[in-house]
């Protein structure tokens, strides 16, 4: 930090300007990237996260780790943000994005500081290189269908570094096969609408061909199971008379007439509900009057509360239309169907199976502790996301092989002048994935990468034998989308970091302005 004698005692100003920002920002990024790079790939190691209260959590998941580390440098925070964005957009490949970003920043900094290349040249080169690399990866990709063995391979590859990856992977694959083509909406797969993943510590891993609600039936006197369920989904007001209407000084007569009114209205309501032929009620109402509940019990029907968010799933699965007003009760076809609805009292869940609407599956992911179930739950979702991305946009050779073999193509690009050197930055990033995966497996990463480079396209290194193998044959496949998103995200972050030449301490920045500069 420089101190300017002219400032006299007023030193904060001098201290609030950080000279040599590139050096310090890049160091901060490296430090953060180093916390996750060793988790990359099937032999990546785990991190033990410990909070101030000494709670412990073991994780192998890039975003989880990054989001858990406290007090990090503001520029390094950008890295956390790309990891988060990658997670939201494709749900996998977060460590890949971070490793590539760090590599680009490291190499870009060398060009700027050691060779004196102007940052804008480097940045433009990165831009073109990333775009071209994405096109080349796309050209390499192959499409797969829901029946292909390649689908299993993508899921296996995505879960290979996770806790119980094998077991989770077969769970995910079974779920994908059950929903099959039914998970297509407007021509592309959208598993968010057809595969639920829930976590339970006190249950075994399980697949339910249907929906699982973590609920109990409304009243224990109701039957625990209904076969050939005729299902109503209601968002009705089930408290026809509100107690708050009674004033403190209400007369006995008023109370009595209100009570009669309440019974009368409840009875009419429940009669109308039963008249639809429904014997199972999924209720998204905030309150249920005790009289309504008792009447439902007396009709020997099954009723369970659901959330407003759950209504759509239920409707899609059972074919029931959502009843919002009493008048809706007389409309045709509002009742849906399922083969069975039952409560498993010991597990605290209600299952709905054999719905007559769209195919849906629920994956119940267990874990001996809350943390393991959380980690396994995230992993299962990663697997589902990887499958979705692979089905929609195709797959490329995994283990860093696809990235490695597009390097030549990227370097063959001809850019004007010094921008050409920016391509080197992208090339290093493309190479860094295989190198890191192999270093994490105990090999000399660089040496192995050279061997893979000299092999035909699609070849990488077998993680167990260290030999060059065809990743397509070996079934190590990654979704194209995960790779291109990671590359683009890495490029974005590298560009922003390389462009900064000063970090300045500022007064209360307008959040809008701050988020604008982050882009
Ligand atoms: P990310 O957070 O980026 O998804 P992962 O730890 O899940 O990080 O590692 C993903 C990388 O590991 C992918 O590049 C994938 O191809 C690679 N990988 C998975 N299984 C293997 C394997 N058996 N051999 C080599 N690479 C593998
Ligand atoms: Mg992954």
């Amino acid at each position: 930090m420089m101190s300017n004698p002219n400032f006299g005692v007023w030193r904060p100003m001098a201290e609030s300007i950080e000279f040599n920002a590139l050096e310090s920002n890049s160091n901060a990024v490296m430090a953060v990237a180093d916390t996750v790079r060793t988790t990359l790939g099937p032999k990546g190691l785990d991190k033990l996260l410990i909070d101030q209260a000494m709670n412990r959590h073991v994780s192998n998941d890039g975003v989880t780790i990054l989001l858990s580390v406290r007090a990090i440098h503001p520029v390094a925070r950008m890295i956390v943000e790309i990891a988060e964005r990658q997670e939201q957009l494709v749900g996998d490949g977060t460590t890949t994005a971070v490793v590539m970003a760090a590599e680009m920043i490291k190499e870009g900094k060398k060009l700027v500081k050691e060779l004196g290349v102007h940052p804008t040249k480097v940045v433009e080169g990165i831009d073109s290189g990333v775009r071209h690399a994405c096109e080349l990866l796309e050209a390499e990709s192959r499409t797969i269908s829901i029946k292909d063995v390649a689908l299993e391979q993508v899921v296996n590859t995505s879960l290979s570094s996770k806790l119980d990856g094998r077991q989770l992977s077969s769970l995910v694959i079974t779920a994908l096969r059950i929903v099959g083509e039914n998970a297509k909406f407007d021509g592309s797969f959208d598993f968010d609408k057809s595969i639920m993943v829930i976590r339970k510590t006190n249950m075994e891993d399980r697949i339910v061909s249907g929906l699982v609600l973590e609920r109990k039936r409304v009243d224990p006197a109701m039957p625990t199971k209904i076969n050939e369920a005729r299902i109503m989904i209601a968002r009705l007001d089930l408290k026809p008379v509100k107690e708050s209407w009674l004033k403190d000084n209400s007369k006995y007569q008023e109370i009595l007439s209100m009570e009669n009114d309440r019974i009368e209205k409840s009875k009419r309501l429940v009669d109308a509900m039963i008249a639809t032929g429904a014997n199972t009620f999924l209720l998204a109402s905030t309150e249920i009057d005790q009289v309504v509940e008792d009447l439902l019990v007396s009709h020997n029907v099954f009723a369970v509360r659901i959330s407003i968010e759950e209504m759509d799933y239920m409707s899609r699965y059972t074919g029931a239309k959502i009843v919002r007003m009493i008048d809706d009760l007389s409309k045709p076809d509002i009742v849906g169907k399922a083969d069975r609805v039952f409560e498993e009292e010991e597990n605290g869940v209600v299952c709905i199976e054999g719905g007559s609407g769209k195919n849906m599956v629920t994956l119940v992911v267990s874990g001996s502790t809350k943390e393991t179930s959380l980690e396994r739950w995230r992993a299962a979702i990663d697997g589902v996301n990887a499958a979705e991305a692979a089905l929609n946009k195709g797959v490329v050779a995994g283990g860093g092989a696809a990235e490695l073999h597009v390097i030549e193509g990227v370097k063959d690009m001809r850019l004007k002048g010094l921008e050409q050197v920016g391509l080197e930055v992208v090339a290093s990033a493309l190479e860094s994935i295989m190198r890191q995966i192999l270093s994490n497996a105990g090999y000399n990463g660089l040496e192995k990468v050279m061997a893979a480079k000299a092999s035909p396209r699609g070849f990488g290194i077998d993680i167990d034998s260290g030999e060059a193998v065809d990743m397509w044959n070996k079934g190590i496949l990654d979704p194209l989308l995960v790779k291109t998103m990671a590359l683009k995200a890495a490029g974005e972050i590298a560009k922003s970091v390389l462009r900064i030449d000063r970090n300045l301490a500022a007064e209360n920045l307008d959040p809008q302005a701050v988020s604008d500069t982050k882009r």
Side-chain angles (χ1 to χ4, degrees):
M1 193 115 324
M2 287 184 48
S3 60
N4 185 335
N6 295 335
F7 286 133
V9 286
W10 194 61
R11 288 196 32 243
M13 183 63 197
E15 282 179 348
S16 63
I17 300 179
E18 211 174 313
F19 293 98
N20 210 349
L22 184 51
E23 190 71 42
S24 110
N25 293 347
S26 126
N27 288 342
V29 167
M30 287 321 132
V32 173
D34 286 345
T35 61
V36 293
R37 68 167 79 246
T38 53
T39 67
L40 186 70
K43 304 265 165 126
L45 299 177
D46 299 342
K47 302 286 159 196
L48 172 64
L49 305 167
I50 309 163
D51 71 10
Q52 278 170 321
M54 295 307 271
N55 292 315
R56 286 161 300 142
H57 176 44
V58 174
S59 181
N60 182 280
D61 186 58
V63 210
T64 310
I65 298 167
L66 289 174
L67 289 175
S68 316
V69 291
R70 282 188 306 139
I72 65 173
H73 189 285
V75 172
R77 220 157 240 283
M78 291 183 185
I79 288 278
V80 181
E81 279 159 20
I82 54 159
E84 250 183 316
R85 190 139 50 102
Q86 177 80 12
E87 179 76 6
Q88 280 160 6
L89 292 176
V90 278
D92 197 11
T94 48
T95 316
T96 300
V98 171
V99 168
M100 287 200 291
E103 188 72 18
M104 287 186 195
I105 292 166
K106 190 176 96 202
E107 293 302 309
K109 187 192 78 175
K110 269 193 214 158
L111 292 176
V112 173
K113 301 212 76 167
E114 291 169 19
L115 302 178
V117 182
H118 194 272
T120 55
K121 298 285 175 207
V122 180
V123 163
E124 280 161 30
I126 291 179
D127 228 7
S128 312
V130 165
R131 223 175 313 120
H132 194 49
C134 287
E135 286 163 12
L136 292 169
L137 285 170
E138 196 179 334
E140 290 279 298
S141 70
R142 302 182 187 171
T143 53
I144 64 165
S145 84
I146 188 109
K147 295 196 190 76
D148 289 346
V149 59
L151 182 67
E152 291 177 25
Q153 296 170 332
V154 171
V155 176
N156 280 332
T157 305
S158 157
L159 295 185
S160 61
S161 61
K162 310 288 180 182
L163 193 68
D164 283 340
R166 278 270 149 206
Q167 190 179 336
L168 283 176
S169 167
S170 69
L171 211 62
V172 168
I173 291 160
T174 312
L176 294 167
R177 296 271 195 255
I178 295 174
V179 293
E181 294 285 332
N182 255 294
K184 263 190 174 167
F185 294 84
D186 300 326
S188 41
F189 285 91
D190 183 355
F191 292 116
D192 274 353
K193 292 203 172 94
S194 49
I195 300 181
M196 315 287 106
V197 187
I198 64 169
R199 57 197 170 88
K200 285 291 255 172
T201 40
N202 56 350
M203 262 170 95
E204 296 284 293
D205 278 353
R206 186 162 125 194
I207 296 190
V208 177
S209 181
L211 297 174
V212 178
L213 293 163
E214 291 176 85
R215 308 257 180 189
K216 289 182 182 312
R217 57 205 193 285
V218 168
D219 192 301
M222 289 174 170
T224 49
K225 177 168 187 174
I226 301 271
N227 285 319
E228 289 180 41
R230 291 183 304 281
I231 297 173
M232 175 185 296
I233 302 171
R235 168 127 182 78
L236 287 168
D237 181 3
L238 296 180
K239 201 161 178 71
V241 174
K242 311 276 181 269
E243 270 118 27
S244 59
W245 295 348
L246 280 180
K247 306 229 171 50
D248 285 345
N249 54 1
S250 290
K251 306 225 168 41
Y252 176 69
Q253 271 308 324
E254 277 175 33
I255 296 174
L256 196 66
S257 84
M258 197 149 158
E259 193 54 27
N260 284 336
D261 188 34
R262 174 182 167 206
I263 292 170
E264 182 59 30
K265 282 189 173 139
S266 301
K267 194 161 176 327
R268 248 187 288 144
L269 180 66
V270 173
D271 283 348
M273 287 165 74
I274 298 290
T276 59
N279 57 12
T280 304
F281 296 87
L282 308 180
L283 306 172
S285 316
T286 37
E287 281 184 292
I288 301 177
D289 196 298
Q290 189 57 47
V291 179
V292 170
E293 184 179 321
D294 292 343
L295 285 165
L296 288 172
V297 169
S298 74
H299 283 284
N300 204 29
V301 296
F302 190 103
V304 63
R305 284 171 182 276
I306 58 171
S307 69
I308 296 187
E309 297 77 52
E310 284 162 342
M311 286 197 307
D312 286 333
Y313 288 114
M314 302 293 147
S315 168
R316 228 179 294 125
Y317 185 60
T318 63
K321 303 222 173 73
I322 298 167
V323 173
R324 291 172 191 277
M325 279 175 295
I326 307 231
D327 286 352
D328 292 343
L329 289 171
S330 51
K331 290 188 181 153
D333 303 330
I334 52 162
V335 174
K337 285 194 195 133
D339 294 341
R340 283 171 298 287
V341 176
F342 55 94
E343 178 176 328
E344 286 181 359
E345 283 170 294
E346 67 280 20
N347 293 326
V349 294
V350 167
C351 303
I352 305 173
E353 293 180 344
S356 65
K358 282 260 186 187
N359 262 6
M360 285 183 133
V361 172
T362 305
L363 281 181
V364 181
V365 174
S366 69
S368 46
T369 64
K370 224 169 90 205
E371 283 73 29
T372 33
S373 79
L374 188 65
E375 188 81 1
R376 296 181 83 244
W377 175 77
R378 282 202 197 96
I381 293 176
D382 270 9
V384 174
N385 287 333
E388 183 176 303
L391 287 164
N392 288 334
K393 299 281 178 195
V395 295
V396 293
E403 294 94 321
L404 190 73
H405 293 286
V406 299
I407 291 177
E408 283 310 306
V410 169
K411 286 192 181 169
D412 280 347
M413 277 183 88
R414 282 293 152 251
L415 299 180
K416 53 180 181 331
L418 277 174
E419 285 158 31
Q420 189 75 27
V421 295
L423 295 179
E424 295 292 332
V425 172
V426 178
S428 302
L430 289 165
E431 202 178 283
S432 67
I433 298 306
M434 187 183 286
R435 199 172 62 224
Q436 191 69 53
I437 292 173
L438 293 171
S439 306
N440 290 353
Y443 294 104
N444 177 332
L446 195 60
E447 182 192 332
K448 291 291 171 194
V449 165
M450 289 307 148
K453 233 181 186 173
S455 309
R457 299 188 90 78
F459 270 63
I461 300 295
D462 184 304
I463 202 99
D464 296 313
S465 69
E467 300 296 319
V469 288
D470 184 343
M471 289 306 201
W472 292 103
N473 285 344
K474 195 106 217 288
I476 312 291
L477 305 177
D478 285 326
L480 168 71
L481 198 62
V482 170
K483 296 286 150 180
T484 52
M485 287 288 189
L487 192 53
K488 285 179 192 159
E492 287 304 310
I493 201 87
K495 286 186 321 189
S496 339
V497 173
L498 292 172
R499 266 209 205 100
I500 300 169
D501 71 342
R502 285 270 201 288
N503 296 346
L504 307 172
E507 297 278 355
N508 303 323
L509 291 175
D510 167 14
Q512 190 59 44
V514 178
S515 67
D516 279 353
T517 55
K518 263 188 254 163
R519 251 179 266 129

